[in-house]
């Protein structure tokens, strides 16, 4: 097994290999007996958002009640309260309940303010619910903070949470020519890792700037394995309102790189797709401006397409990353080189998928091309897994 030459501390669990029930899973943030003493007397910053709940209280409030000196909060895309649009700039602010300053990592600025702040911090605690996709940006915010902490020697404490898409790996590895704000690491679209596992891999594989290492500690979940079908108790972002959307997200998000609506601005975001000029479909919907989707694609236009909201979760999970939806829309619209935008390559991460779709290849043929990527990545990630596969 590959030797791990980095400071990566975790607590070994006697977790069973069978599927755990949602009620049995204990998030890292709930395991105070493991990590609370390490925060006492320290200046702590918290990277979190509205998903960082412990029971019916936010971890920020719980830590303060327990006498931990939290001096700053970092918030990701969608903001600390989780209600901003995708990609929307979010300003720094102050938490009204506690008076603690909130520093947005999605304010459109890449300066030295994070480094200046983290030099005054002893520990950065990470507690946020990810969904396990390369283009879901919470891990990129964590990566950015890890880069700074590696420079400042600030300790990073990841309080791990389950990955609702952690039961499989799918999609091509990111060709780093397409590195962007929706893809920062050479990992598949569906990497199947928790943030704690991914943080360990980032550190161990030398993916931080200049090959630096973080002083990293991970507190794993209890009673969780990669076969656990963990249902999120809180929507992780405005347009992933339920588990159907979370399971469909790997496939349907690719429509962001096309003119086709994926349901933003409706009651079924990421659970339907359509376009005003698609033909042969009886299903219709009209995107409207609403919270979390102020200016959605095809705003106020009637779109015709496919409703996926009633597909069984088992079938969605079995299909994994399924290109058949985007292939069907491409063939239906027949608009040639006006169908894909450059953003599509940033999402899928390689150049061959667009070419194969345009050549008339099937979803199965394209998926077969990236299977070697998947198998090689599964081997490469194995030393960093904290939970049974």
């Amino acid at each position: 097994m590959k030797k791990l030459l980095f400071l990566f501390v975790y607590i070994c669990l006697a977790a069973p290999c069978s599927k755990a029930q949602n009620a049995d899973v204990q998030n890292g943030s709930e395991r105070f007996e493991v990590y609370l003493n390490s925060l006492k007397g320290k200046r702590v910053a918290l990277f979190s958002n509205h998903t960082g709940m412990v029971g019916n209280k936010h971890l920020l409030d719980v830590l303060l009640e327990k006498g931990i000196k939290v001096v700053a909060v970092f918030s990701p895309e969608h903001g600390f309260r989780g209600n901003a649009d995708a990609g929307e700039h979010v300003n720094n602010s102050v938490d009204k309940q506690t008076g603690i300053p909130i520093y947005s990592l999605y304010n459109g600025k890449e300066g030295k303010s994070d480094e200046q702040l983290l030099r005054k911090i002893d520990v950065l605690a990470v507690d946020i619910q990810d969904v396990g996709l390369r283009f879901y940006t919470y891990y990129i915010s964590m990566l950015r903070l890890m880069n700074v902490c590696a420079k400042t020697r600030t300790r990073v404490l990841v309080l791990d949470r389950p990955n609702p898409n952690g039961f499989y790996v799918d999609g091509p590895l990111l060709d780093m020519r397409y590195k962007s704000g929706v893809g920062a690491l050479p990992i598949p679209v569906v990497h199947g890792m928790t943030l704690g596992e991914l943080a360990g891999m980032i550190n161990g594989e030398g993916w931080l700037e200049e090959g630096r290492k973080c002083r990293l500690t991970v507190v794993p979940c209890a009673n969780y394995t990669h076969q656990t079908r963990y249902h999120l108790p809180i929507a992780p972002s405005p347009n992933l309102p339920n588990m159907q959307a979370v399971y469909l997200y790997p496939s349907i998000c690719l429509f962001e790189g096309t003119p086709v609506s994926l349901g933003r601005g409706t009651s079924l975001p990421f659970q339907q797709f359509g376009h005003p000029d698609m033909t042969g479909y009886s299903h219709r919907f009209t995107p409207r401006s609403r919270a979390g989707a102020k200016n959605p694609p095809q705003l106020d236009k009637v779109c015709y397409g496919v409703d996926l909201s009633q597909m069984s979760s088992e079938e969605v999970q079995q299909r994994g990353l399924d290109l058949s939806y985007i292939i069907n829309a491409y063939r239906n619209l027949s608009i040639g080189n006006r169908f894909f935008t450059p953003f599509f390559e940033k999402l899928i991460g390689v150049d061959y998928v667009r070419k194969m779709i345009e050549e008339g290849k099937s979803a199965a043929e394209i998926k077969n091309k990236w299977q070697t990527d998947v198998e090689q990545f599964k081997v490469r990630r194995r030393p960093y897994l904290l939970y049974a596969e």
Side-chain angles (χ1 to χ4, degrees), residues 21-34:
Q21 297 299 313
N22 218 56
D24 297 332
V25 175
Q26 189 179 26
N27 296 328
S29 59
E30 298 174 300
R31 305 182 68 213
F32 296 110
E33 73 282 2
V34 175

Side-chain angles (χ1 to χ4, degrees), residues 75-198:
S75 68
E77 183 178 13
H78 305 297
F80 186 59
R81 297 302 174 189
N83 54 7
D85 280 9
E88 180 180 0
H89 291 173
V90 180
N91 294 325
N92 295 342
S93 60
V94 174
D95 183 55
K96 293 180 180 179
Q97 185 167 332
T98 64
I100 292 174
I102 299 173
Y103 297 91
S104 171
L105 297 173
Y106 232 76
N107 57 15
K109 301 175 183 178
E110 288 284 351
K112 293 187 176 181
S113 57
D114 300 340
E115 182 174 342
Q116 292 169 351
L117 175 61
L118 285 167
R119 287 193 183 280
K120 303 174 185 178
I121 300 297
D122 300 309
V123 183
L124 171 70
V126 177
D127 181 34
I128 193 167
Q129 181 62 64
D130 193 59
V131 298
L133 278 297
R134 191 183 65 223
F135 40 62
Y136 200 69
T137 62
Y138 294 170
Y139 83 91
I140 300 178
S141 294
M142 181 182 74
L143 173 66
R144 171 179 166 183
L145 290 170
M146 287 177 68
N147 269 315
V148 178
C149 288
K151 293 180 184 178
T152 61
R153 302 298 297 160
T154 305
R155 187 159 65 89
V156 177
L157 175 69
V158 178
L159 305 173
D160 214 9
R161 287 178 175 266
N163 176 357
N165 284 307
F167 52 90
Y168 73 111
V169 178
D170 207 351
L173 293 178
L174 175 67
D175 180 336
M176 295 301 279
R177 291 182 301 163
Y178 297 110
K179 181 180 178 181
S180 71
V182 291
L185 297 173
I187 57 179
V189 173
V190 186
H191 54 72
M193 303 176 78
T194 65
L195 282 185
E197 292 173 323
L198 190 55

Side-chain angles (χ1 to χ4, degrees), residues 175-309:
D175 180 336
M176 295 301 279
R177 291 182 301 163
Y178 297 110
K179 181 180 178 181
S180 71
V182 291
L185 297 173
I187 57 179
V189 173
V190 186
H191 54 72
M193 303 176 78
T194 65
L195 282 185
E197 292 173 323
L198 190 55
M201 190 170 189
I202 289 169
N203 227 21
E205 293 294 312
W207 288 342
L208 293 178
E209 294 172 358
E210 300 179 12
R212 294 187 179 98
K213 306 292 183 186
C214 257
R215 298 169 60 206
L216 177 65
T217 302
V218 176
V219 179
C221 307
N223 304 316
Y224 171 73
T225 80
H226 282 282
Q227 294 309 308
T228 304
R229 298 305 194 267
Y230 182 77
H231 284 208
L232 301 182
I234 299 171
S237 51
N239 289 287
L240 293 179
N242 53 43
M243 291 308 298
Q244 187 78 338
V246 170
Y247 291 142
L248 284 166
Y249 183 63
S251 307
I252 303 304
C253 189
L254 298 176
F255 282 114
E256 302 274 34
T258 78
V260 176
S261 168
L262 47 72
R264 289 187 186 274
T266 75
S267 61
L268 295 174
F270 291 94
Q271 298 160 79
Q272 60 183 345
F273 64 90
H275 185 276
D277 297 329
M278 285 177 63
T279 60
Y281 297 105
S282 59
H283 177 66
R284 66 177 67 186
F285 61 90
T286 305
R288 304 291 190 189
S289 181
R290 58 168 62 192
K294 296 183 180 68
N295 188 31
Q298 306 302 338
L299 177 65
D300 295 332
K301 297 179 181 178
V302 178
C303 296
Y304 302 90
V306 179
D307 179 5
L308 300 170
S309 65

